[in-house]
Amino acid sequence: MNPLCSRCNRVVYPTEKVNCLDKYWHKGCFSCEVCKMTLNMKNYKGFDKRPYCNAHYPKTSFTSVADTPENLRLKQQSKMQSQVLYKEEFEKNKGKGFSVVADTPEMQRIKKTQDQISNIKYHEEFEKSRMGGEAPTHHPPQQQNTTPVYQPPAASQNYCYEPEPVRQAAAAPPPSSGKRYRAVYDYLAADEDEVSFLDGDVIVDVQPIDEGWMYGRVERTGQQGMLPANYVEAI
């Protein structure tokens, strides 16, 4: 005896039978519970033994953990341990003359630069006091420019140069023809002859194939193939 279809409750014959989710379906009745798009064994998603498409698959959400007395006790214990560790680090570094945060490589470099500047000023003051208040001024040696100056060769009178012809810009590609649609959902291709696109992409050169499917080219990526008709809308 032939089984009944889970969608229309009519007899399903072997030539049009789809056995999925522990139920029997007609090929045309195996569709999304929300948008009624015809599905196949490659692009369906089952939830509670019902078929859904990728866009309308029910999303599961996590529940928040309740603040039970045990959770509150663990939270308070973790906070106390953090305070104890902070006090231990503070006692270890107290009296060393530096802090862990301040002594970074950048701060050490700045401190070294300041020490060098202090040594230079000390030597200048020492020279001024020894020479009667006039310290010799040190001027840095001027660098000579050794880069050779380019001199263009003298133009010969025996040669006549013709200007290079101006190249014309390449012609722009012809605009796409046919019907234009805009994607209202993201779609990931489930087969080699299908095409993927994102919400907001423009689909051009659209040709309807059968109920629920059409053929077109994604203007953003240039890829073309089959796509579900209920994922796009006409512009």
Side-chain angles (χ1 to χ4, degrees), residues 158-215:
N158 297 329
Y159 296 94
C160 180
Y161 296 95
E162 295 182 357
E164 186 177 358
V166 180
R167 298 181 180 177
Q168 297 182 355
S176 58
S177 59
K179 296 182 179 179
R180 296 168 59 90
Y181 286 76
R182 179 182 292 107
V184 294
Y185 302 106
D186 296 345
Y187 182 73
L188 181 63
D191 208 344
E192 295 180 355
D193 57 350
E194 297 180 7
V195 64
S196 302
F197 51 83
L198 301 176
D199 184 9
D201 282 349
V202 177
I203 315 298
V204 297
D205 301 335
V206 177
Q207 301 177 2
I209 299 177
D210 56 8
E211 182 179 1
W213 291 90
M214 56 178 55
Y215 187 88

Side-chain angles (χ1 to χ4, degrees), residues 4 31 42 58 68 86 89 123 126-127 151 155 164 173 194 232:
L4 299 179
S31 58
K42 295 182 180 180
T68 60
Y86 171 75
E89 293 294 332
H123 286 293
F126 178 75
E127 292 293 335
Q151 296 181 356
E164 186 177 358
E194 297 180 7
V232 296

Side-chain angles (χ1 to χ4, degrees), residues 1-192:
M1 181 178 180
N2 295 320
L4 299 179
C5 177
S6 298
R7 180 77 68 189
C8 63
N9 292 328
R10 296 180 180 178
V11 178
V12 181
Y13 295 99
T15 56
E16 55 180 0
K17 181 173 65 176
V18 176
N19 186 4
C20 187
L21 301 175
D22 297 334
K23 298 177 181 180
Y24 295 95
W25 320 74
H26 292 103
K27 291 182 179 180
C29 294
F30 189 62
S31 58
C32 177
E33 292 287 333
V34 179
C35 63
K36 307 304 179 183
M37 183 185 76
T38 304
L39 303 173
N40 53 43
M41 300 301 292
K42 295 182 180 180
N43 60 359
Y44 86 96
K45 286 188 175 182
F47 182 81
D48 197 15
K49 292 188 178 182
R50 295 180 180 180
Y52 293 90
C53 65
N54 189 30
H56 298 105
Y57 182 73
K59 303 295 188 299
T60 57
S61 59
F62 298 97
T63 58
S64 59
V65 180
D67 289 335
T68 60
E70 181 65 19
N71 291 335
L72 294 174
R73 185 185 66 81
L74 294 175
K75 183 179 180 180
Q76 185 68 21
Q77 184 177 357
S78 300
K79 185 177 180 180
M80 292 176 61
Q81 290 178 354
S82 300
Q83 294 178 355
V84 171
L85 292 175
Y86 171 75
K87 291 181 179 180
E88 289 180 357
E89 293 294 332
F90 178 77
E91 293 295 334
K92 287 181 182 179
N93 296 322
K94 186 173 67 175
K96 290 185 179 181
F98 66 93
S99 60
V100 178
V101 179
D103 288 338
T104 60
E106 182 65 19
M107 294 298 294
Q108 292 178 1
R109 184 186 65 80
I110 295 174
K111 184 178 180 182
K112 186 176 180 181
T113 304
Q114 291 177 351
D115 292 341
Q116 292 178 357
I117 295 174
S118 300
N119 291 333
I120 293 174
K121 289 184 177 181
Y122 170 76
H123 286 293
E124 288 181 356
E125 294 293 334
F126 178 75
E127 292 293 335
K128 285 181 180 181
S129 61
R130 191 180 66 174
M131 300 299 293
E134 294 181 358
T137 304
H138 298 282
H139 296 282
Q142 296 182 358
Q143 297 181 357
Q144 297 181 357
N145 187 8
T146 58
T147 305
V149 180
Y150 174 76
Q151 296 181 356
S156 176
Q157 298 180 358
N158 297 329
Y159 296 94
C160 180
Y161 296 95
E162 295 182 357
E164 186 177 358
V166 180
R167 298 181 180 177
Q168 297 182 355
S176 58
S177 59
K179 296 182 179 179
R180 296 168 59 90
Y181 286 76
R182 179 182 292 107
V184 294
Y185 302 106
D186 296 345
Y187 182 73
L188 181 63
D191 208 344
E192 295 180 355

